[in-house]
Amino acid sequence: MNRRQFPLMSLAALWLITRALMLWLLAHDTAPLLGRGAVAREVWRLYFHWYGLLSHGAFPAHDTLWQYPPGAGAVLLSPGLLPGLTYFQAFVALALAADAVIALALARAGTRPGRSLLGAALWTGGLPLLLHLPLARYDVQVTALAVISLLSLSRSTRACGVFAALGALVKVWPVLVLLGTPRKRPTRSAWTWAAGTGAVALGLFTLLFAEPLSFLRQQSGRGVQIESLGGTALSLARHAGWSGRVRYRYGAMEFTGPHVSAVAGVSLALTAAACCVLLLWRVRARRWNEATAFDAALCAVLLFTITSRVISPQYMVWLLGLAAVCLTSRHTTQRPVAALVVAASAVSTVVYPTLYGEVIHCTWTGSLLMLLRNGLLVAAAGLSLVRLWRATRPLPTPAATAVGSPTGRERVPHRALSTS
């Protein structure tokens, strides 16, 4: 075995061991510290119920829990393609397959000249921090589409756009991976193919299913989930005498009571502000390298995550996948951000499912855990934006260098190629 094969074999062994452990945890899902069956119940009860409706050509239009774009229907129907397995078994098998595809894609990218296997290592070792949760949600499948989209950018902008569009049709956020595509022709190509793919796929869903856009009604009614940044503020407010309560609404535990609508409004305003900041970065950015699109995707998803009214635990799957893509390049600016994402993932597991009851009842333990997890995410988002902005700002001109220097002899660093 040569030196190149050894790390790959080690990663393969780590993947097999950790995924076997995740399957064991899923099989013992009823244990108190593993959620008392709540994690797996999402698949065999809710997803299977939706599968029955979707298989008859209709989206669950009047179900307040259905808040997903039409592409999610295709993912929930896919377990039916595996004969001889129950719906639950087939769903988990497909989640594992998507996980393996991500690991292989990251490993393949990491073995190219000038690249790194750190991305594959982060994904392989980081995903099990979320215990068995990734196997009982379809976020791994969505993340696979986003990861493949980013990794294909350097070779085919068309493929990048197609996979981004397919991911967006499943859970919207993968459209953000197109934010950092290089200017001019690469951007036109990727965005055009994404728009075309999205339009064609949406047309097919409209022809084959009834009410494919019904999810928009349910999304508009969402409140402030207890795990969101706004929810953390309200949880701490409970200790200061605020009279609000936690109730199960729209498939999540949400706060109800005075000022909740105002907190939700602030979250939406912050999301709009994040969008403006990202657009401003896009307009002002002048330097691109092979990692810029990766870094921009992680930054964008982090900003939209922390400003969302909902931060479900499975959102960490997205962030781990994007952080892993960043680490495949030696030019990434996001290494410390990736470390913060890993730390937040570990804390997220303590929040859910381990001590979720503490979070629901807004005990000091639950409130402080949420403050720690969300504090790590806010720190990651802020650091990500600062490092991305600095890495892509215009280089100082020779004249400016001469004016700002007593000697005028400082050399301009060649960190990346200018695209202005």
Side-chain angles (χ1 to χ4, degrees), residues 222-228 231 245-256 309-312 352 356 359-361:
R222 292 300 298 264
V224 179
Q225 188 214 27
I226 60 175
E227 294 176 66
S228 67
R245 293 289 183 269
V246 175
R247 292 183 181 176
Y248 183 76
R249 299 172 67 246
Y250 292 94
M253 304 303 295
E254 296 184 349
F255 280 107
T256 60
R309 292 171 294 170
V310 180
I311 305 181
S312 297
Y352 183 89
Y356 200 51
V359 179
I360 292 174
H361 294 100

Side-chain angles (χ1 to χ4, degrees), residues 77-334:
L77 283 170
S78 60
L81 300 175
L82 300 183
L85 298 177
T86 66
Y87 183 85
F88 181 82
Q89 291 169 341
F91 184 93
V92 173
L94 290 174
L96 273 175
D99 173 17
V101 167
I102 294 173
L104 287 171
L106 292 168
R108 185 169 181 266
T111 55
R112 295 174 188 167
R115 294 293 189 95
S116 170
L117 285 171
L118 281 177
L122 184 144
W123 175 260
T124 302
L127 192 67
L129 291 175
L130 299 174
L131 304 182
H132 53 305
L133 178 71
L135 301 182
R137 299 293 186 273
Y138 65 89
D139 295 87
V140 174
Q141 291 92 317
V142 181
T143 303
L145 293 170
V147 167
I148 293 172
S149 174
L150 284 170
L151 293 179
S152 63
L153 176 60
S154 61
R155 297 193 172 189
S156 172
T157 53
R158 296 177 179 181
C160 173
V162 168
F163 282 107
L166 293 177
L169 281 169
V170 178
K171 260 199 172 177
V172 180
W173 69 265
V175 73
L176 295 173
V177 305
L178 298 177
L179 176 71
T181 52
R183 290 177 182 273
K184 299 181 180 179
R185 187 177 179 278
T187 289
R188 288 196 300 269
S189 175
W191 292 14
T192 299
W193 277 84
T197 301
V200 171
L202 190 58
L204 289 175
F205 282 116
T206 303
L207 290 174
L208 298 175
F209 296 90
E211 300 192 72
L213 299 180
S214 59
F215 74 100
L216 294 173
R217 292 196 298 268
Q218 322 305 342
Q219 275 289 347
S220 62
R222 292 300 298 264
V224 179
Q225 188 214 27
I226 60 175
E227 294 176 66
S228 67
L229 199 61
T232 301
L234 292 173
S235 178
L236 292 170
R238 284 283 303 272
H239 297 282
W242 180 63
S243 59
R245 293 289 183 269
V246 175
R247 292 183 181 176
Y248 183 76
R249 299 172 67 246
Y250 292 94
M253 304 303 295
E254 296 184 349
F255 280 107
T256 60
H259 313 301
V260 172
S261 59
V263 172
V266 170
S267 295
L268 291 173
L270 289 174
T271 299
C275 183
C276 292
V277 169
L278 290 169
L279 289 176
L280 180 61
W281 167 80
R282 174 79 194 187
V283 170
R284 298 194 63 179
R286 289 294 181 271
R287 291 181 293 152
W288 263 260
N289 60 40
E290 66 176 20
T292 301
F294 306 165
D295 295 355
L298 177 59
C299 179
V301 175
L302 272 168
L303 287 174
F304 277 91
T305 296
I306 65 169
T307 59
S308 174
R309 292 171 294 170
V310 180
I311 305 181
S312 297
Q314 56 266 31
Y315 288 17
M316 302 308 302
V317 176
W318 317 344
L319 299 175
L320 284 170
L322 295 178
V325 172
C326 291
L327 294 190
T328 61
S329 172
R330 299 183 188 276
H331 299 283
T332 184
T333 62
Q334 304 293 301

Side-chain angles (χ1 to χ4, degrees), residues 281 292 295-296 299 333-334 384-392:
W281 167 80
T292 301
D295 295 355
C299 179
T333 62
Q334 304 293 301
S384 178
L385 179 61
V386 169
R387 293 177 73 87
L388 175 67
W389 197 287
R390 289 176 176 173
T392 56

Side-chain angles (χ1 to χ4, degrees), residues 339-356:
L340 290 172
V341 168
V342 171
S345 299
V347 178
S348 187
T349 294
V350 181
V351 170
Y352 183 89
T354 307
L355 296 179
Y356 200 51

